[in-house]
Amino acid sequence: MNFLITLIPVSPLLGFLIIALNYKKMIHGVASFIACGMVFISFILAVVVFLQLLFLPEDQRAFSVTVFDWIHTAGFSADISFLVDPLSSLFLLIITGVGFLIHLYSIGYMHDDAGYNKFFSYLNLFVFFMLLLVMGSNYLLMFVGWEGVGLCSYLLIGFWFKNTDYNKAANKAFIMNRIGDLGLLIGIILIFVNFGSINYHEVLAKAADVDPSTISLITILLFIGAMGKSAQIPLYTWLPDAMAGPTPVSALIHAATMVTAGIYMVARNNVLYSMSPAALQLVLIVGLATALFAATIAVAQNDIKKVLAYSTVSQLGLIFVALGVGAYSSGIFHMATHAFFKALLFLGAGSVIHALSGEQDIRRMGGLKKHLPITYLTFLVGVLAISGIPPFAGFFSKDEILANAFAQSPVAYGVALLASLLTSFYMFRLFFLTFLGTPRASHEVMHHIHESPKSITVPLIVLAGLSLVGGFMNVPEVLGGSAWLNEFLSPVFAPSHGILELHHLEHSTELVLMGVVVTLTVVLIGIAYSTYVKKSDVPAAEGTLSGVHNVVYHKYYIDELYDAIVVKPLFWLSKQFDGVVERLGIDGIVNALGGVVVKGSQVFRLLQNGSIGFYIFAMAISIILMLTFFVIW
């Protein structure tokens, strides 16, 4: 078993090395076969490990594997070691399973790209670092994976690096994540200082012995890291821009890797967060604010990928709402279903963009239903799932979050409900404008339009199936289920249940809440249908917007605000340092020293004039001066 667990992250790493070292001479088919095959091997191994865990007694559901000693020095030690328990095994299935489908999809989507082999090597490296992040048994190994996925996102967002805007998006993602990473790094250092270890088991076992205020400080610092990686206010603006990369990259970042890192980290440290009401309150407030704020922005966007990007930010906010009220397994449940339908939606958007020769504006789409039947049907499944329509996956997971929020606070429930309802509206707005109504693309585009190849449609069909049935893994008791996922994850979250005082709703209350949500969702879908199909309204052109609509369309001018209060002052400050400290200070000193050496050498070279008489005279003077020196001193 130890060998199989070790092979899970090693397999995509081998794929990266093989392709990267031979990418110039390797034919495309071999590169994609190796990349897809290595991730598929990891998926099969993850399934085997998951089944092993499933049939173990609840208190034995964990495998710990030490590969080798990494760092051992005075008072500090860290191993390359893996921890596979119910939490990490669920992440392994999502990363490798959804990741494999995205690899498969990329074969068709990137088949004409000049950087085909390089792209697949980056995908393998991305999967490797994400696996390392969730499998590491200590904070340092998690941090290595954390930084690795940051590096890979930078490489893949800026994959088409000849486009300046794409380079700026990659830089933005890299720099904003470094802000959050600083908080995470300080938090890890404080953990070592106060706990004397960075191993998960040892830290969580000593948690009761550490001052509560210190635990609050540590958990808040760790959460700053999660705010960066999982795109929460105020560090969320990089994620919508990250769609600049190829569409498979967007799906990988938004569904299976990057943004789930912060969720995993908070869930892994659930004991520490449960001991800090202040930290949990912060997680709840940031989650609520992000969920609602991003949902309002998504309502006014017209770029198909930008709508999905803000949808991701909003859904991540809802997951943090679950974590903030202590419903950790509900948050992980929605993370899993979100991975299915968000990967499906992004890959479906890619199929639309592929068919329309790069067009991404939904105002220039419409009527694609009969031309792209598979994409249309699978995209509809994704929209129904994210909108929370029963029995699609999002219904079960989102309902759990809303119910837990209601049990914690009616205000939290109200905000989360509003964000959820907005989601159903803007997603069906996107769907109706893209697939129904009158075609608005040019005649030439519509003449050549056709369904995507099987390498693209097969992953869509598989993800649509998962988006349809994925919610049944955790059907609540009120609907006759056994909440299987909650039971499977209980060994990880049980210690927190002894710390937190969770409120439970009556079944009748839960049923009323479900009825309210579904009814309001259907009403909003009807409004969207009436507006964009029956009345055939098309969003106005950018220059004609006014008032609140214009402000929301421009994303509340947050990017412009950051540019004014952070970017421009830093540029001004760097120019001052460049002009005063660099050019007048450091350059001045270095240039002056160089000038002295040059002038001195010009003088001293006159001493070598080739005249023997002068050399004898100089030697005599030198002897006289030396004798005089020794006599005097």
Side-chain angles (χ1 to χ4, degrees), residues 597-614:
V597 172
V598 170
K599 292 293 182 186
S601 64
Q602 288 175 346
V603 172
F604 283 112
R605 72 182 173 84
L606 298 176
L607 299 176
Q608 294 183 341
N609 54 14
S611 170
I612 295 176
F614 175 76

Side-chain angles (χ1 to χ4, degrees), residues 340-550:
F340 300 150
F341 55 69
K342 187 49 60 70
L344 168 63
L345 291 168
F346 259 110
L347 297 186
S351 180
V352 171
I353 295 167
H354 182 267
L356 295 178
S357 305
E359 181 60 70
Q360 294 188 196
D361 194 328
I362 56 178
R363 291 171 297 186
R364 292 193 281 272
M365 297 181 183
L368 300 182
K369 174 182 173 182
K370 65 179 180 181
H371 300 282
L372 309 173
I374 298 176
T375 304
Y376 160 74
L377 285 173
T378 53
F379 202 91
L380 176 60
V381 171
V383 173
L384 289 167
I386 196 174
S387 299
I389 299 296
F392 295 89
F395 164 72
F396 297 100
S397 56
K398 197 182 293 186
D399 176 73
E400 273 205 23
I401 294 176
L402 294 175
N404 281 290
F406 184 83
Q408 177 81 7
S409 160
V411 175
Y413 171 77
V415 176
L417 174 63
L418 185 55
S420 176
L421 294 175
L422 286 174
T423 301
S424 59
F425 178 79
Y426 67 68
M427 285 308 303
F428 270 93
R429 169 182 179 269
L430 169 70
F431 175 75
F432 291 144
L433 286 170
T434 303
F435 291 100
L436 302 185
T438 306
R440 296 181 295 278
S442 68
H443 177 74
E444 183 181 357
V445 170
M446 295 305 296
H447 181 70
H448 293 96
I449 193 170
H450 58 82
E451 183 58 276
S452 298
K454 286 184 179 178
S455 60
I456 289 180
T457 55
V458 169
L460 293 180
I461 294 169
V462 174
L463 286 168
L466 292 171
S467 300
L468 177 60
V469 303
F472 289 94
M473 74 174 94
N474 204 43
V475 178
E477 292 180 9
V478 65
L479 295 178
S482 61
W484 172 82
L485 186 62
N486 291 349
E487 188 275 332
F488 178 65
L489 293 172
S490 61
V492 181
F493 300 130
S496 293
H497 297 159
I499 302 170
L500 290 173
E501 186 180 350
L502 296 177
H503 305 285
H504 297 284
L505 300 177
E506 297 289 334
H507 283 180
S508 58
T509 307
E510 284 191 60
L511 288 172
V512 170
L513 292 177
M514 286 182 191
V516 169
V517 174
V518 173
T519 303
L520 292 175
T521 300
V522 172
V523 170
L524 283 171
I525 293 172
I527 294 173
Y529 181 81
S530 173
T531 305
Y532 299 107
V533 180
K534 291 191 73 175
K535 296 180 182 176
S536 300
D537 280 359
V538 178
E542 183 177 348
T544 62
L545 301 176
S546 61
V548 176
H549 192 180
N550 189 48

Side-chain angles (χ1 to χ4, degrees), residues 84 121 434 580:
V84 179
S121 69
T434 303
V580 178

